[in-house]
Amino acid sequence: MRKTLYLKFVLAYFIFGVFAFITVATFVPSMTREQLVREKAENLYSEAELIAENYASGLYTSETSLEEVKTQLDALAIYLDSVIRIINPSGRLVLDTETPINVEDVVVIENFDPTVTRGSYYTVDRFFDNYDTNVLSVFAPIASNFKVKGYVVIICDMAEIEASCNNLVNISYITLVILFLLSGIILIFFTEMVYMPLRKITYATEQYASGNMHYEFQVESEDEIGYLAACLNYMASEIARSEDDQKKFVANVSHDFRSPLTSIRGYLEAMLDGTIPPEMREKYLNIVLNETERLTKLTNSLLTLNNLNTRGMLLDKTDFDIHQVIRRIAATFEGSCRQKSISIEAILCGDKMYVHADMEKIQQVLYNLLDNAIKFSHHNSVIKIETSEKKNKVFVSVKDTGIGIPKEDLKLIWDRFYKSDLSRGKDKKGTGLGLSIVKEIINAHGEHINVISTEGEGSEFIFSLPQSDIDEEED
Ligand code: ADP
Protein backbone atom coordinates (compact mmCIF):
# COMPACT_ATOMS: atom_id res chain seq x y z
CA MET A 1 0.00 0.00 0.00
CA ARG A 2 2.76 2.42 1.03
CA LYS A 3 4.69 2.13 -2.20
CA THR A 4 1.71 2.36 -4.50
CA LEU A 5 0.41 5.56 -2.93
CA TYR A 6 3.71 7.29 -3.58
CA LEU A 7 4.06 5.76 -7.05
CA LYS A 8 0.52 6.82 -7.88
CA PHE A 9 1.30 10.36 -6.93
CA VAL A 10 4.54 10.42 -8.95
CA LEU A 11 2.73 8.82 -11.88
CA ALA A 12 -0.05 11.40 -11.67
CA TYR A 13 2.62 14.10 -11.63
CA PHE A 14 4.25 12.82 -14.83
CA ILE A 15 0.89 12.18 -16.53
CA PHE A 16 0.05 15.80 -15.73
CA GLY A 17 3.39 16.83 -17.33
CA VAL A 18 2.78 14.77 -20.49
CA PHE A 19 -0.79 16.07 -20.90
CA ALA A 20 0.35 19.64 -20.36
CA PHE A 21 3.02 19.15 -23.06
CA ILE A 22 0.55 17.55 -25.52
CA THR A 23 -1.95 20.39 -24.95
CA VAL A 24 0.67 23.08 -25.48
CA ALA A 25 2.15 21.31 -28.53
CA THR A 26 -1.32 20.88 -30.08
CA PHE A 27 -2.87 24.27 -29.55
CA VAL A 28 -0.18 26.86 -28.93
CA PRO A 29 1.64 26.79 -32.36
CA SER A 30 -1.53 27.03 -34.47
CA MET A 31 -3.11 29.67 -32.24
CA THR A 32 0.10 31.72 -32.15
CA ARG A 33 0.53 31.49 -35.95
CA GLU A 34 -3.07 32.51 -36.53
CA GLN A 35 -2.73 35.48 -34.23
CA LEU A 36 0.55 36.63 -35.81
CA VAL A 37 -0.86 36.27 -39.33
CA ARG A 38 -3.96 38.24 -38.38
CA GLU A 39 -1.89 41.05 -36.85
CA LYS A 40 0.44 41.21 -39.86
CA ALA A 41 -2.51 41.11 -42.25
CA GLU A 42 -4.22 43.97 -40.41
CA ASN A 43 -1.09 46.11 -40.68
CA LEU A 44 -0.62 45.32 -44.35
CA TYR A 45 -4.30 45.91 -45.10
CA SER A 46 -4.12 49.46 -43.69
CA GLU A 47 -1.10 50.04 -45.94
CA ALA A 48 -2.92 48.49 -48.91
CA GLU A 49 -5.95 50.70 -48.31
CA LEU A 50 -3.73 53.77 -48.15
CA ILE A 51 -2.05 52.75 -51.41
CA ALA A 52 -5.42 52.08 -53.05
CA GLU A 53 -6.75 55.47 -52.05
CA ASN A 54 -3.69 57.66 -52.50
CA TYR A 55 -1.80 56.17 -55.42
CA ALA A 56 -3.58 53.42 -57.25
CA SER A 57 -6.92 55.19 -57.80
CA GLY A 58 -4.97 57.96 -59.54
CA LEU A 59 -3.73 55.41 -62.03
CA TYR A 60 -7.26 54.60 -63.20
CA THR A 61 -8.24 58.27 -63.43
CA SER A 62 -4.91 58.96 -65.20
CA GLU A 63 -4.06 61.53 -62.55
CA THR A 64 -0.76 59.84 -61.80
CA SER A 65 1.64 58.07 -64.09
CA LEU A 66 2.61 54.42 -63.70
CA GLU A 67 6.31 55.34 -63.17
CA GLU A 68 5.44 57.74 -60.40
CA VAL A 69 3.31 55.17 -58.59
CA LYS A 70 5.96 52.49 -59.08
CA THR A 71 8.67 54.67 -57.51
CA GLN A 72 6.49 55.24 -54.48
CA LEU A 73 5.45 51.61 -54.16
CA ASP A 74 9.03 50.33 -54.62
CA ALA A 75 10.12 52.38 -51.62
CA LEU A 76 7.11 51.21 -49.63
CA ALA A 77 7.72 47.58 -50.60
CA ILE A 78 11.29 47.77 -49.28
CA TYR A 79 10.00 49.38 -46.12
CA LEU A 80 7.33 46.71 -45.64
CA ASP A 81 9.67 43.91 -46.75
CA SER A 82 6.91 42.74 -49.09
CA VAL A 83 5.88 42.68 -52.74
CA ILE A 84 3.17 45.14 -53.80
CA ARG A 85 1.09 44.45 -56.89
CA ILE A 86 -1.75 46.26 -58.54
CA ILE A 87 -3.96 43.80 -60.38
CA ASN A 88 -7.02 44.32 -62.52
CA PRO A 89 -10.14 42.28 -61.62
CA SER A 90 -9.40 40.18 -64.73
CA GLY A 91 -6.02 39.21 -63.33
CA ARG A 92 -3.89 41.48 -65.48
CA LEU A 93 -0.84 42.69 -63.63
CA VAL A 94 -0.77 46.49 -63.80
CA LEU A 95 2.18 47.03 -61.52
CA ASP A 96 4.61 44.81 -59.66
CA THR A 97 7.37 46.08 -57.37
CA GLU A 98 9.37 42.92 -58.19
CA THR A 99 9.62 43.55 -61.94
CA PRO A 100 10.33 46.73 -63.91
CA ILE A 101 7.55 48.34 -65.95
CA ASN A 102 7.13 46.77 -69.36
CA VAL A 103 4.02 48.02 -71.07
CA GLU A 104 4.39 45.64 -74.02
CA ASP A 105 4.64 42.54 -71.94
CA VAL A 106 1.14 41.87 -70.63
CA VAL A 107 1.28 39.59 -67.59
CA VAL A 108 -1.92 37.94 -66.52
CA ILE A 109 -2.20 36.01 -63.29
CA GLU A 110 -3.91 32.78 -64.16
CA ASN A 111 -7.14 32.04 -62.26
CA PHE A 112 -6.94 35.34 -60.38
CA ASP A 113 -9.97 35.56 -58.16
CA PRO A 114 -10.20 38.28 -55.47
CA THR A 115 -13.04 36.38 -53.72
CA VAL A 116 -10.46 33.79 -52.70
CA THR A 117 -10.31 35.56 -49.32
CA ARG A 118 -13.87 34.35 -48.54
CA GLY A 119 -15.21 37.30 -46.59
CA SER A 120 -11.82 38.19 -45.20
CA TYR A 121 -9.15 40.43 -46.71
CA TYR A 122 -6.21 38.06 -46.69
CA THR A 123 -5.19 34.52 -47.60
CA VAL A 124 -2.29 32.29 -46.79
CA ASP A 125 -1.55 30.17 -49.87
CA ARG A 126 0.75 29.99 -52.87
CA PHE A 127 -1.00 33.00 -54.46
CA PHE A 128 -2.57 31.33 -57.49
CA ASP A 129 0.51 29.07 -57.80
CA ASN A 130 2.82 32.07 -58.26
CA TYR A 131 5.04 30.92 -55.38
CA ASP A 132 6.52 27.58 -54.35
CA THR A 133 5.72 28.16 -50.68
CA ASN A 134 2.84 29.75 -48.82
CA VAL A 135 2.72 33.53 -48.70
CA LEU A 136 0.46 36.01 -46.93
CA SER A 137 -1.45 38.11 -49.46
CA VAL A 138 -3.64 41.05 -48.50
CA PHE A 139 -6.25 42.37 -50.96
CA ALA A 140 -7.53 45.99 -50.91
CA PRO A 141 -9.95 47.00 -53.68
CA ILE A 142 -9.33 50.16 -55.74
CA ALA A 143 -12.70 51.82 -56.16
CA SER A 144 -13.68 54.63 -58.43
CA ASN A 145 -17.25 55.75 -59.10
CA PHE A 146 -18.51 52.92 -56.93
CA LYS A 147 -16.80 50.40 -59.17
CA VAL A 148 -13.90 48.13 -58.33
CA LYS A 149 -11.20 48.98 -60.84
CA GLY A 150 -8.54 46.74 -59.49
CA TYR A 151 -6.80 45.48 -56.40
CA VAL A 152 -3.74 46.44 -54.40
CA VAL A 153 -2.21 43.18 -53.27
CA ILE A 154 0.58 43.12 -50.73
CA ILE A 155 2.38 39.79 -50.61
CA CYS A 156 4.53 38.97 -47.67
CA ASP A 157 6.82 36.02 -47.09
CA MET A 158 5.64 33.68 -44.26
CA ALA A 159 9.22 32.97 -43.12
CA GLU A 160 9.33 35.95 -40.78
CA ILE A 161 5.95 35.08 -39.24
CA GLU A 162 7.02 31.43 -38.88
CA ALA A 163 10.24 32.53 -37.12
CA SER A 164 8.30 34.76 -34.67
CA CYS A 165 5.80 31.96 -34.17
CA ASN A 166 8.57 29.45 -33.39
CA ASN A 167 10.11 31.89 -30.93
CA LEU A 168 6.82 32.34 -29.08
CA VAL A 169 6.15 28.60 -29.08
CA ASN A 170 9.62 28.01 -27.66
CA ILE A 171 8.89 30.52 -24.90
CA SER A 172 5.71 28.56 -24.14
CA TYR A 173 7.68 25.33 -23.90
CA ILE A 174 10.26 26.89 -21.59
CA THR A 175 7.48 28.31 -19.39
CA LEU A 176 5.86 24.89 -19.33
CA VAL A 177 9.09 23.20 -18.25
CA ILE A 178 9.64 25.79 -15.51
CA LEU A 179 6.04 25.32 -14.31
CA PHE A 180 6.46 21.55 -14.37
CA LEU A 181 9.63 21.77 -12.29
CA LEU A 182 8.01 24.22 -9.89
CA SER A 183 5.01 21.95 -9.47
CA GLY A 184 7.55 19.38 -8.31
CA ILE A 185 7.45 21.38 -5.06
CA ILE A 186 3.98 19.86 -4.51
CA LEU A 187 5.63 16.45 -4.79
CA ILE A 188 8.20 17.43 -2.17
CA PHE A 189 5.45 18.77 0.09
CA PHE A 190 3.43 15.59 -0.40
CA THR A 191 6.47 13.47 0.46
CA GLU A 192 7.33 15.47 3.56
CA MET A 193 3.90 16.26 4.89
CA VAL A 194 1.79 13.27 3.90
CA TYR A 195 3.87 10.34 2.72
CA MET A 196 6.58 10.29 5.42
CA PRO A 197 4.12 10.73 8.33
CA LEU A 198 1.86 8.09 6.77
CA ARG A 199 4.80 5.71 6.60
CA LYS A 200 5.51 6.33 10.28
CA ILE A 201 1.85 5.77 11.14
CA THR A 202 1.66 2.59 9.07
CA TYR A 203 4.84 1.24 10.68
CA ALA A 204 3.46 2.09 14.12
CA THR A 205 0.16 0.30 13.40
CA GLU A 206 2.15 -2.73 12.26
CA GLN A 207 4.01 -2.64 15.57
CA TYR A 208 0.75 -2.37 17.52
CA ALA A 209 -0.82 -5.16 15.48
CA SER A 210 2.13 -7.39 16.35
CA GLY A 211 1.57 -6.63 20.04
CA ASN A 212 4.26 -4.03 20.67
CA MET A 213 1.98 -1.53 22.39
CA HIS A 214 4.92 0.33 23.94
CA TYR A 215 6.16 1.51 20.51
CA GLU A 216 6.22 5.31 20.42
CA PHE A 217 6.56 7.55 17.40
CA GLN A 218 6.40 11.21 16.68
CA VAL A 219 4.84 13.19 13.84
CA GLU A 220 5.76 16.85 14.14
CA SER A 221 2.76 18.48 12.53
CA GLU A 222 -0.34 20.17 13.82
CA ASP A 223 -2.66 19.16 10.99
CA GLU A 224 -5.03 16.21 10.72
CA ILE A 225 -2.16 13.76 10.21
CA GLY A 226 -0.43 15.00 13.36
CA TYR A 227 -3.72 14.63 15.22
CA LEU A 228 -4.20 11.10 13.87
CA ALA A 229 -0.66 10.17 14.99
CA ALA A 230 -1.24 11.66 18.45
CA CYS A 231 -4.55 9.76 18.77
CA LEU A 232 -2.85 6.53 17.71
CA ASN A 233 -0.06 7.07 20.22
CA TYR A 234 -2.58 7.76 22.95
CA MET A 235 -4.67 4.72 22.02
CA ALA A 236 -1.60 2.48 22.12
CA SER A 237 -0.43 3.86 25.46
CA GLU A 238 -3.92 3.33 26.91
CA ILE A 239 -4.02 -0.27 25.64
CA ALA A 240 -0.51 -0.83 27.00
CA ARG A 241 -1.57 0.60 30.36
CA SER A 242 -4.68 -1.57 30.55
CA GLU A 243 -2.59 -4.61 29.57
CA ASP A 244 -0.15 -3.79 32.36
CA ASP A 245 -3.05 -3.31 34.77
CA GLN A 246 -4.47 -6.64 33.74
CA LYS A 247 -1.13 -8.37 34.29
CA LYS A 248 -0.80 -6.73 37.69
CA PHE A 249 -4.36 -7.72 38.49
CA VAL A 250 -3.80 -11.38 37.59
CA ALA A 251 -0.52 -11.40 39.54
CA ASN A 252 -2.28 -9.94 42.58
CA VAL A 253 -5.21 -12.34 42.35
CA SER A 254 -2.88 -15.32 42.04
CA HIS A 255 -0.86 -14.15 45.01
CA ASP A 256 -3.94 -13.56 47.14
CA PHE A 257 -5.28 -17.00 46.30
CA ARG A 258 -1.99 -18.79 46.76
CA SER A 259 -1.20 -17.67 50.29
CA PRO A 260 -4.42 -18.94 51.97
CA LEU A 261 -4.29 -22.12 49.87
CA THR A 262 -0.68 -22.74 50.96
CA SER A 263 -1.54 -22.32 54.61
CA ILE A 264 -4.68 -24.52 54.32
CA ARG A 265 -2.65 -27.21 52.62
CA GLY A 266 0.12 -26.92 55.24
CA TYR A 267 -2.27 -27.32 58.16
CA LEU A 268 -4.20 -30.17 56.56
CA GLU A 269 -0.98 -32.06 55.74
CA ALA A 270 0.29 -31.50 59.26
CA MET A 271 -2.97 -32.92 60.64
CA LEU A 272 -2.82 -35.93 58.37
CA ASP A 273 0.78 -36.82 59.08
CA GLY A 274 0.29 -36.31 62.81
CA THR A 275 2.52 -33.24 63.24
CA ILE A 276 -0.53 -31.58 64.74
CA PRO A 277 -1.83 -33.81 67.50
CA PRO A 278 -5.58 -34.61 67.49
CA GLU A 279 -6.27 -32.46 70.58
CA MET A 280 -4.91 -29.38 68.75
CA ARG A 281 -6.88 -30.04 65.59
CA GLU A 282 -9.85 -27.83 66.50
CA LYS A 283 -7.63 -24.77 66.80
CA TYR A 284 -6.04 -25.37 63.42
CA LEU A 285 -9.31 -26.31 61.77
CA ASN A 286 -10.59 -22.90 62.86
CA ILE A 287 -7.60 -21.30 61.19
CA VAL A 288 -8.33 -23.31 58.05
CA LEU A 289 -11.97 -22.16 58.22
CA ASN A 290 -10.82 -18.56 58.52
CA GLU A 291 -8.67 -18.97 55.45
CA THR A 292 -11.56 -20.45 53.46
CA GLU A 293 -13.67 -17.48 54.56
CA ARG A 294 -10.97 -15.21 53.21
CA LEU A 295 -10.99 -17.09 49.92
CA THR A 296 -14.78 -16.83 49.73
CA LYS A 297 -14.61 -13.11 50.41
CA LEU A 298 -11.92 -12.65 47.77
CA THR A 299 -13.92 -14.62 45.19
CA ASN A 300 -17.08 -12.64 45.95
CA SER A 301 -15.25 -9.32 45.67
CA LEU A 302 -13.71 -10.37 42.35
CA LEU A 303 -17.09 -11.38 41.02
CA THR A 304 -18.60 -8.08 42.15
CA LEU A 305 -15.80 -6.09 40.47
CA ASN A 306 -16.11 -8.14 37.31
CA ASN A 307 -19.86 -7.58 37.15
CA LEU A 308 -19.42 -3.87 37.73
CA ASN A 309 -16.99 -3.66 34.82
CA THR A 310 -18.48 -5.99 32.25
CA ARG A 311 -22.02 -4.72 32.51
CA GLY A 312 -20.77 -1.15 32.26
CA MET A 313 -22.47 -0.91 35.65
CA LEU A 314 -26.16 -1.25 34.93
CA LEU A 315 -27.81 0.47 37.83
CA ASP A 316 -31.23 -0.45 39.08
CA LYS A 317 -32.09 2.97 40.45
CA THR A 318 -35.02 3.42 42.80
CA ASP A 319 -36.10 5.95 45.40
CA PHE A 320 -35.34 4.67 48.87
CA ASP A 321 -34.77 5.93 52.40
CA ILE A 322 -30.99 6.03 52.98
CA HIS A 323 -31.50 6.41 56.75
CA GLN A 324 -33.29 3.12 56.91
CA VAL A 325 -30.49 1.42 54.94
CA ILE A 326 -27.86 2.94 57.28
CA ARG A 327 -29.71 1.63 60.34
CA ARG A 328 -30.07 -1.81 58.81
CA ILE A 329 -26.37 -2.10 57.84
CA ALA A 330 -25.23 -0.78 61.21
CA ALA A 331 -27.33 -3.48 62.88
CA THR A 332 -25.57 -6.24 60.93
CA PHE A 333 -22.27 -5.20 62.50
CA GLU A 334 -23.59 -5.47 66.07
CA GLY A 335 -21.66 -8.70 66.69
CA SER A 336 -18.25 -7.46 65.56
CA CYS A 337 -18.81 -4.14 67.34
CA ARG A 338 -19.54 -5.93 70.60
CA GLN A 339 -16.30 -7.93 70.29
CA LYS A 340 -14.28 -4.71 70.20
CA SER A 341 -16.62 -2.67 72.40
CA ILE A 342 -17.21 -0.26 69.55
CA SER A 343 -20.40 1.77 69.34
CA ILE A 344 -21.93 3.11 66.17
CA GLU A 345 -23.52 6.54 66.43
CA ALA A 346 -25.89 7.60 63.67
CA ILE A 347 -26.38 11.35 63.35
CA LEU A 348 -29.07 11.52 60.71
CA CYS A 349 -30.69 14.66 59.37
CA GLY A 350 -34.35 13.93 59.90
CA ASP A 351 -36.27 10.73 60.15
CA LYS A 352 -36.25 9.82 56.49
CA MET A 353 -34.07 10.89 53.60
CA TYR A 354 -34.95 9.68 50.14
CA VAL A 355 -32.24 9.21 47.54
CA HIS A 356 -32.39 8.06 43.95
CA ALA A 357 -29.82 5.27 43.52
CA ASP A 358 -29.24 1.54 43.24
CA MET A 359 -30.11 0.40 46.77
CA GLU A 360 -28.28 -2.91 46.67
CA LYS A 361 -25.05 -1.29 45.54
CA ILE A 362 -25.28 1.54 48.05
CA GLN A 363 -25.77 -1.11 50.77
CA GLN A 364 -22.52 -2.66 49.58
CA VAL A 365 -20.77 0.73 49.79
CA LEU A 366 -21.96 1.28 53.34
CA TYR A 367 -21.08 -2.28 54.26
CA ASN A 368 -17.51 -1.95 52.96
CA LEU A 369 -16.95 1.45 54.61
CA LEU A 370 -18.33 0.28 57.99
CA ASP A 371 -16.39 -2.97 57.77
CA ASN A 372 -13.16 -0.99 57.26
CA ALA A 373 -14.03 1.50 60.01
CA ILE A 374 -14.56 -1.32 62.51
CA LYS A 375 -11.47 -3.23 61.35
CA PHE A 376 -9.20 -0.24 61.74
CA SER A 377 -10.75 1.18 64.95
CA HIS A 378 -9.30 0.70 68.40
CA HIS A 379 -11.26 -1.00 71.17
CA ASN A 380 -13.78 1.14 73.05
CA SER A 381 -14.15 3.72 70.31
CA VAL A 382 -17.07 5.32 68.50
CA ILE A 383 -17.86 5.22 64.79
CA LYS A 384 -20.07 8.04 63.54
CA ILE A 385 -22.37 7.79 60.53
CA GLU A 386 -23.63 11.21 59.60
CA THR A 387 -25.93 12.44 56.83
CA SER A 388 -26.45 15.98 55.62
CA GLU A 389 -28.31 17.58 52.75
CA LYS A 390 -27.10 20.33 50.42
CA LYS A 391 -28.32 21.47 46.99
CA ASN A 392 -30.36 18.33 46.23
CA LYS A 393 -27.49 16.09 47.30
CA VAL A 394 -27.30 13.86 50.32
CA PHE A 395 -23.84 13.50 51.87
CA VAL A 396 -23.09 10.36 53.88
CA SER A 397 -20.03 10.28 56.13
CA VAL A 398 -18.52 7.27 57.92
CA LYS A 399 -16.00 8.46 60.49
CA ASP A 400 -13.77 6.46 62.80
CA THR A 401 -11.04 7.30 65.31
CA GLY A 402 -8.84 4.37 64.32
CA ILE A 403 -5.33 4.00 62.97
CA GLY A 404 -5.84 6.50 60.09
CA ILE A 405 -4.20 6.36 56.69
CA PRO A 406 -0.66 7.64 56.02
CA LYS A 407 -0.63 10.68 53.71
CA GLU A 408 1.33 8.88 50.99
CA ASP A 409 -1.27 6.07 50.91
CA LEU A 410 -4.32 8.31 50.53
CA LYS A 411 -4.27 8.19 46.74
CA LEU A 412 -3.49 4.49 46.56
CA ILE A 413 -6.24 3.08 48.77
CA TRP A 414 -8.71 3.16 45.86
CA ASP A 415 -6.47 0.88 43.75
CA ARG A 416 -7.34 -2.76 43.49
CA PHE A 417 -5.48 -4.98 46.00
CA TYR A 418 -3.97 -2.06 47.79
CA LYS A 419 -3.44 -2.59 51.52
CA SER A 420 -1.35 -0.12 53.48
CA ASP A 421 1.53 -1.51 55.52
CA LEU A 422 -0.11 -0.09 58.61
CA SER A 423 -3.27 -2.14 58.09
CA ARG A 424 -1.65 -5.51 57.45
CA GLY A 425 -1.24 -6.34 61.16
CA LYS A 426 -4.83 -5.30 61.99
CA ASP A 427 -6.55 -6.95 59.05
CA LYS A 428 -5.35 -10.32 57.92
CA LYS A 429 -8.50 -11.12 55.93
CA GLY A 430 -8.52 -7.93 53.83
CA THR A 431 -8.42 -8.28 50.08
CA GLY A 432 -7.67 -4.71 49.12
CA LEU A 433 -10.68 -4.72 46.82
CA GLY A 434 -13.32 -3.14 49.11
CA LEU A 435 -12.58 0.53 48.36
CA SER A 436 -12.13 0.01 44.60
CA ILE A 437 -15.62 -1.54 44.55
CA VAL A 438 -16.93 1.44 46.56
CA LYS A 439 -15.37 3.94 44.17
CA GLU A 440 -16.66 2.18 41.06
CA ILE A 441 -20.21 2.14 42.44
CA ILE A 442 -20.19 5.80 43.47
CA ASN A 443 -18.63 6.89 40.15
CA ALA A 444 -21.24 4.87 38.22
CA HIS A 445 -23.88 6.99 39.96
CA GLY A 446 -22.06 10.10 38.69
CA GLU A 447 -21.22 10.99 42.28
CA HIS A 448 -18.01 11.43 44.27
CA ILE A 449 -16.33 9.89 47.27
CA ASN A 450 -13.58 11.53 49.33
CA VAL A 451 -11.46 10.60 52.26
CA ILE A 452 -10.06 12.78 55.03
CA SER A 453 -7.60 10.97 57.26
CA THR A 454 -4.77 11.61 59.70
CA GLU A 455 -2.44 8.82 60.64
CA GLY A 456 -3.04 7.74 64.23
CA GLU A 457 -6.20 9.86 64.60
CA GLY A 458 -8.79 8.33 62.33
CA SER A 459 -10.46 8.50 58.92
CA GLU A 460 -13.62 9.92 57.43
CA PHE A 461 -15.12 8.71 54.14
CA ILE A 462 -17.76 11.02 52.62
CA PHE A 463 -19.80 10.22 49.54
CA SER A 464 -22.69 11.98 47.85
CA LEU A 465 -25.98 10.70 46.42
CA PRO A 466 -28.69 12.45 44.43
CA GLN A 467 -31.68 13.36 46.55
CA SER A 468 -34.92 11.87 45.31
CA ASP A 469 -37.83 14.02 44.08
CA ILE A 470 -40.19 12.19 46.43
CA ASP A 471 -41.31 14.39 49.29
CA GLU A 472 -40.77 12.98 52.76
CA GLU A 473 -44.35 13.77 53.67
CA GLU A 474 -45.77 11.74 50.78
CA ASP A 475 -44.39 8.51 52.14
P1 ADP B 1 -9.71 -4.29 52.40
O1 ADP B 1 -10.77 -5.13 51.83
O2 ADP B 1 -8.42 -4.98 52.54
O3 ADP B 1 -10.12 -3.50 53.58
P2 ADP B 1 -10.01 -1.83 51.05
O4 ADP B 1 -9.92 -1.54 49.58
O5 ADP B 1 -11.34 -1.68 51.66
O6 ADP B 1 -9.39 -3.23 51.27
O7 ADP B 1 -8.99 -0.86 51.75
C1 ADP B 1 -7.72 -0.66 51.25
C2 ADP B 1 -6.78 -0.17 52.31
O8 ADP B 1 -7.18 1.15 52.70
C3 ADP B 1 -6.83 -0.94 53.60
O9 ADP B 1 -5.96 -2.06 53.53
C4 ADP B 1 -6.33 0.07 54.57
O10 ADP B 1 -4.94 0.15 54.53
C5 ADP B 1 -6.90 1.37 54.07
N1 ADP B 1 -8.15 1.73 54.77
C6 ADP B 1 -9.40 1.63 54.27
N2 ADP B 1 -10.32 2.09 55.19
C7 ADP B 1 -9.61 2.49 56.26
C8 ADP B 1 -9.95 3.06 57.56
N3 ADP B 1 -11.22 3.32 57.88
N4 ADP B 1 -8.95 3.37 58.40
C9 ADP B 1 -7.67 3.13 58.08
N5 ADP B 1 -7.26 2.60 56.90
C10 ADP B 1 -8.23 2.27 55.99
Side-chain angles (χ1 to χ4, degrees):
M1 190 282 283
R2 278 181 291 160
K3 268 184 193 153
T4 51
L5 181 64
Y6 191 65
L7 278 180
K8 275 179 196 168
F9 203 82
V10 172
L11 200 69
Y13 176 68
F14 281 105
I15 288 175
F16 160 77
V18 170
F19 271 106
F21 179 79
I22 291 173
T23 313
V24 170
T26 313
F27 297 110
V28 173
S30 58
M31 281 162 65
T32 313
R33 186 178 296 106
E34 216 168 276
Q35 178 63 20
L36 287 175
V37 166
R38 197 179 307 122
E39 274 176 24
K40 182 84 179 172
E42 262 173 34
N43 286 342
L44 292 182
Y45 186 69
S46 339
E47 296 293 339
E49 270 190 321
L50 277 177
I51 294 167
E53 261 175 46
N54 298 339
Y55 306 116
S57 57
L59 270 181
Y60 290 95
T61 51
S62 304
E63 281 167 18
T64 14
S65 71
L66 201 59
E67 285 76 15
E68 217 177 304
V69 176
K70 173 128 173 49
T71 320
Q72 296 284 350
L73 293 193
D74 278 352
L76 206 57
I78 292 166
Y79 171 70
L80 293 175
D81 194 16
S82 318
V83 175
I84 304 174
R85 288 179 180 169
I86 293 175
I87 306 168
N88 278 350
S90 58
R92 212 199 113 211
L93 195 60
V94 179
L95 192 149
D96 182 4
T97 53
E98 259 182 335
T99 49
I101 297 170
N102 187 351
V103 192
E104 265 108 76
D105 184 15
V106 176
V107 180
V108 176
I109 294 167
E110 295 281 325
N111 305 322
F112 179 75
D113 176 12
T115 59
V116 77
T117 55
R118 286 190 199 91
S120 171
Y121 48 81
Y122 69 91
T123 59
V124 177
D125 54 16
R126 287 167 54 208
F127 194 70
F128 310 103
D129 292 334
N130 267 215
Y131 293 89
D132 298 331
T133 53
N134 279 355
V135 287
L136 165 67
S137 21
V138 178
F139 296 71
I142 305 161
S144 169
N145 293 332
F146 304 106
K147 268 189 176 167
V148 176
K149 302 280 184 193
Y151 292 91
V152 173
V153 183
I154 302 182
I155 299 162
C156 171
D157 194 1
M158 281 293 286
E160 196 191 322
I161 293 174
E162 289 294 348
S164 309
C165 178
N166 287 343
N167 278 346
L168 286 175
V169 170
N170 285 343
I171 289 171
S172 302
Y173 284 136
I174 291 168
T175 315
L176 181 70
V177 170
I178 291 171
L179 275 180
F180 183 68
L181 293 179
L182 281 179
S183 61
I185 292 173
I186 298 173
L187 196 68
I188 296 168
F189 263 89
F190 172 78
T191 312
E192 279 300 310
M193 296 171 87
V194 181
Y195 180 62
M196 296 310 270
L198 264 186
R199 260 180 69 152
K200 279 189 188 173
I201 290 172
T202 317
Y203 182 72
T205 42
E206 277 169 10
Q207 289 294 316
Y208 299 149
S210 64
N212 179 13
M213 287 296 167
H214 291 280
Y215 179 78
E216 274 183 21
F217 70 106
Q218 207 133 46
V219 171
E220 307 275 349
S221 75
E222 286 179 6
D223 51 18
E224 286 81 350
I225 291 192
Y227 185 64
L228 171 69
C231 287
L232 211 61
N233 251 326
Y234 179 69
M235 184 196 79
S237 67
E238 282 296 296
I239 294 175
R241 204 171 60 89
S242 89
E243 269 180 5
D244 289 348
D245 282 356
Q246 207 139 344
K247 274 185 198 157
K248 237 174 20 193
F249 184 76
V250 172
N252 281 333
V253 172
S254 318
H255 175 264
D256 276 50
F257 267 95
R258 205 163 40 198
S259 35
L261 280 176
T262 316
S263 74
I264 290 170
R265 188 185 165 155
Y267 289 127
L268 291 178
E269 275 175 357
M271 278 181 230
L272 281 176
D273 66 14
T275 318
I276 293 174
E279 63 273 17
M280 298 281 281
R281 274 187 190 166
E282 196 184 330
K283 179 187 167 193
Y284 288 102
L285 278 175
N286 273 327
I287 298 177
V288 168
L289 195 65
N290 264 343
E291 292 291 42
T292 54
E293 267 175 31
R294 193 173 146 198
L295 280 177
T296 313
K297 195 177 166 193
L298 184 63
T299 317
N300 286 340
S301 299
L302 281 174
L303 282 174
T304 312
L305 259 185
N306 198 42
N307 283 345
L308 296 185
N309 283 343
T310 50
R311 278 193 280 150
M313 185 85 73
L314 284 177
L315 296 175
D316 179 18
K317 284 189 184 179
T318 50
D319 296 303
F320 63 92
D321 177 14
I322 186 78
H323 290 171
Q324 197 189 338
V325 172
I326 290 171
R327 287 188 202 106
R328 203 167 51 227
I329 298 291
T332 60
F333 283 100
E334 224 166 71
S336 38
C337 281
R338 203 175 304 126
Q339 276 177 16
K340 289 178 87 176
S341 308
I342 291 172
S343 57
I344 297 178
E345 198 181 313
I347 309 164
L348 309 175
C349 57
D351 183 27
K352 290 175 179 179
M353 175 58 73
Y354 281 90
V355 290
H356 186 67
D358 185 323
M359 189 168 79
E360 217 175 286
K361 294 202 169 63
I362 297 302
Q363 274 178 5
Q364 170 124 44
V365 168
L366 281 166
Y367 185 92
N368 287 4
L369 292 179
L370 260 178
D371 187 39
N372 280 347
I374 295 166
K375 266 192 306 196
F376 301 114
S377 277
H378 306 296
H379 284 260
N380 298 314
S381 57
V382 179
I383 293 169
K384 285 182 185 164
I385 307 178
E386 215 174 323
T387 57
S388 58
E389 179 218 330
K390 202 178 176 184
K391 290 184 186 167
N392 287 332
K393 296 255 178 224
V394 176
F395 293 89
V396 182
S397 142
V398 178
K399 190 175 178 182
D400 66 64
T401 50
I403 59 170
I405 304 164
K407 215 173 172 185
E408 61 274 16
D409 289 348
L410 276 176
K411 269 194 180 157
L412 305 170
I413 56 169
W414 309 106
D415 291 351
R416 291 171 186 185
F417 295 106
Y418 184 79
K419 289 183 246 175
S420 80
D421 291 340
L422 208 64
S423 69
R424 280 178 206 273
K426 288 238 164 216
D427 169 39
K428 293 202 175 66
K429 282 193 208 160
T431 58
L433 292 173
L435 286 183
S436 46
I437 293 172
V438 165
K439 193 164 177 89
E440 296 238 16
I441 292 174
I442 297 296
N443 285 351
H445 280 81
E447 298 294 332
H448 300 283
I449 178 156
N450 281 317
V451 58
I452 306 163
S453 183
T454 314
E455 196 179 339
E457 287 187 16
S459 318
E460 181 178 10
F461 287 84
I462 309 161
F463 65 90
S464 61
L465 286 175
Q467 199 177 355
S468 142
D469 299 329
I470 295 182
D471 202 339
E472 215 177 291
E473 263 62 57
E474 279 177 25
D475 191 58

